[in-house]
Amino acid sequence: MIRWSLLTAQLEAFIAAAKNDIEEYAYVSQEMASMRQYREQRNYRLATEAFARIGQKLGKEALKNYPELLGIQAQLEVRGNVDALISRIEADLGAPDDRLAQYIKDLDEALAVHPDHLKIPPLLRRARSRLNYRRGRTFFDHRQYLDARPLLEAVEGEDRAEADKLIKELDDAEHERGKLERALNQAKKSREAGLWRQAYNSLTLWLEKPRASDLDDRFWREYTDTKEEWEQYAINELDVLSRQTPLNEKRIREQLEALTELGSAELDRWQKEGLARCYEQTAREKARRGRLQESIAAWQEAMRLDPGNEAYEEELIKAEKSQVAQQIAAAPTDLEQAERLYKHLRVRYNEDIDIRLKLADVYLKQEKYAETEYELNWVDTAIRQLGLHANPELVQDKERLKRAFRA
């Protein structure tokens, strides 16, 4: 039943807005009267023409702002000029979903009024197919696969090829469903047994694969629980291992590998508190055995992991000094080598008083008095700045060298 009362109300609103134009008011009123008369006579074609004249007078753009009026237009076309309705829908199959759904209702009604019209059934199928494809695609994109499948399977015509591609992906996902179910159960068992990496790796394999929607929540819950529990286990292990003596580097590395694989925010902390201290332990052991080059390499790794650690830096300098002393002791008369080694250390540790004193001593033995004086003046200034904090042994070495220099 056409809602003529609504139509009248809408048109009266237009009339109210045009009261200043008496001619337009009279024209629209006359057409409304004609439309009512045609409607009573069930002459829908002439009623539709009257409606069109009103729309032309008021402006088509104005009519588009009133969906109810467009609906009435469609209902008039259903009973009168159904070919106009068909042409309008054929030209607008790319319309938004809500308008496309309304077109389907209009065509259903038109088919009921004109059951023998040859153009209505194929157009109705096209419109339904287009709407099914769009809604199925939306469900698919939102991983609602069970809702997507029946809509995509109902698609025909020009959208069928794209729908088949999505259905193929759904088929593949369903094929994998049994594997996923088994993987979930196995991952859960592995997690409960404390086999964190095995559980995590099993779940990670499925991250990028389409999954049946009813398993999606279970998958993510299991994945999240596994990741959180494995990370906490690794941190607890590192806390215990880092307080043991001696440190178990192999086990510490195993837990750090876990934090690395998990992308844990705690990795940096435990590299400092765990692995850097393992390098410290190695450095001290290598130095004790006289393997100074390996000790230096270990101290450098410790500093790389914990660059702000002053104790590591002091030990590294001490190890490098010991290495230089060892090399000089092997060739005590090679003063050029001694100069080269201490100058290399000076470049790296320019503020180290001990290195500057040793270099001054080498210069003095070579009778390079200008260089000796330069180094001694630098040391003298540095010790004065340190005041009471200066190392007494270094002060004594400085005084000894100054006396030798003056002699």
Side-chain angles (χ1 to χ4, degrees), residues 26-122:
Y27 176 82
V28 172
S29 297
Q30 179 181 350
E31 290 295 344
M32 283 181 62
S34 298
M35 190 167 59
R36 292 191 186 98
Q37 180 180 357
Y38 294 143
R39 180 254 178 183
E40 292 171 356
Q41 296 171 355
R42 298 184 179 277
N43 191 334
Y44 296 111
R45 183 181 61 80
L46 293 178
T48 300
E49 291 174 0
F51 182 91
R53 287 193 296 272
I54 294 172
Q56 185 176 10
K57 185 71 175 179
L58 296 176
K60 291 184 178 180
E61 292 302 317
L63 284 179
K64 287 183 179 179
N65 295 327
Y66 296 88
E68 291 293 337
L69 285 177
L70 293 176
I72 292 172
Q73 178 187 14
Q75 293 177 22
L76 287 170
E77 288 173 340
V78 165
R79 290 165 174 79
N81 189 3
V82 71
D83 289 332
L85 174 68
I86 291 172
S87 297
R88 187 158 55 87
I89 294 176
E90 284 179 331
D92 198 27
L93 283 177
D97 289 0
D98 56 347
R99 196 154 81 230
L100 195 58
Q102 182 59 52
Y103 286 162
I104 292 172
K105 292 180 181 179
D106 295 340
L107 289 170
D108 277 331
E109 185 175 350
L111 187 61
V113 175
H114 306 281
D116 297 327
H117 200 295
L118 297 179
K119 290 186 177 181
I120 296 176

Side-chain angles (χ1 to χ4, degrees), residues 358-399:
K358 285 183 168 57
L359 182 57
D361 189 31
V362 172
Y363 282 145
L364 184 59
K365 290 175 181 177
Q366 293 175 299
E367 298 182 356
K368 293 183 178 181
Y369 300 121
E371 289 87 344
T372 304
E373 184 177 19
Y374 176 83
E375 294 299 332
L376 287 174
N377 287 339
W378 185 93
V379 169
D380 208 28
T381 301
I383 287 177
R384 279 200 308 271
Q385 290 175 346
L386 288 173
L388 296 175
H389 299 288
N391 186 321
E393 293 182 2
L394 293 178
V395 174
Q396 291 176 8
D397 288 343
K398 180 202 73 168
E399 293 301 325

Side-chain angles (χ1 to χ4, degrees), residues 126-150:
R126 284 180 64 196
R128 282 176 175 160
S129 179
R130 175 61 54 85
L131 188 60
N132 284 336
Y133 174 74
R134 287 183 183 174
R135 289 176 173 174
R137 175 87 224 195
T138 299
F139 281 129
F140 183 90
D141 290 342
H142 288 82
R143 306 178 70 86
Q144 296 173 259
Y145 301 127
L146 295 181
D147 296 317
R149 179 179 287 278

Side-chain angles (χ1 to χ4, degrees), residues 227-243:
K227 186 175 180 180
E228 290 176 353
E229 291 179 19
W230 187 17
E231 180 180 31
Q232 191 57 55
Y233 173 81
I235 290 171
N236 292 342
E237 284 291 291
L238 286 166
D239 185 51
V240 172
L241 291 168
S242 65
R243 288 185 272 110

Side-chain angles (χ1 to χ4, degrees), residues 158-224:
E158 59 223 67
D159 296 317
R160 185 67 209 177
E162 290 301 317
D164 284 341
K165 291 179 183 179
L166 298 182
I167 292 172
K168 176 63 167 58
E169 291 190 40
L170 291 177
D171 289 340
D172 292 342
E174 286 300 315
H175 178 71
E176 297 292 320
R177 178 189 175 85
K179 294 182 181 179
L180 175 57
E181 186 78 47
R182 291 190 294 274
L184 278 170
N185 293 334
Q186 184 58 50
K188 185 175 182 180
K189 291 179 182 178
S190 298
R191 177 170 61 85
E192 291 172 349
L195 302 174
W196 312 106
R197 176 172 276 103
Q198 181 176 318
Y200 180 78
N201 289 342
S202 175
L203 292 166
T204 303
L205 290 174
W206 296 87
L207 274 176
E208 301 301 327
K209 295 184 179 181
R211 296 177 298 279
S213 59
D214 58 329
L215 295 180
D216 216 39
D217 289 342
R218 285 178 54 197
F219 173 87
W220 284 108
R221 187 165 56 252
E222 187 66 30
Y223 175 79
T224 302

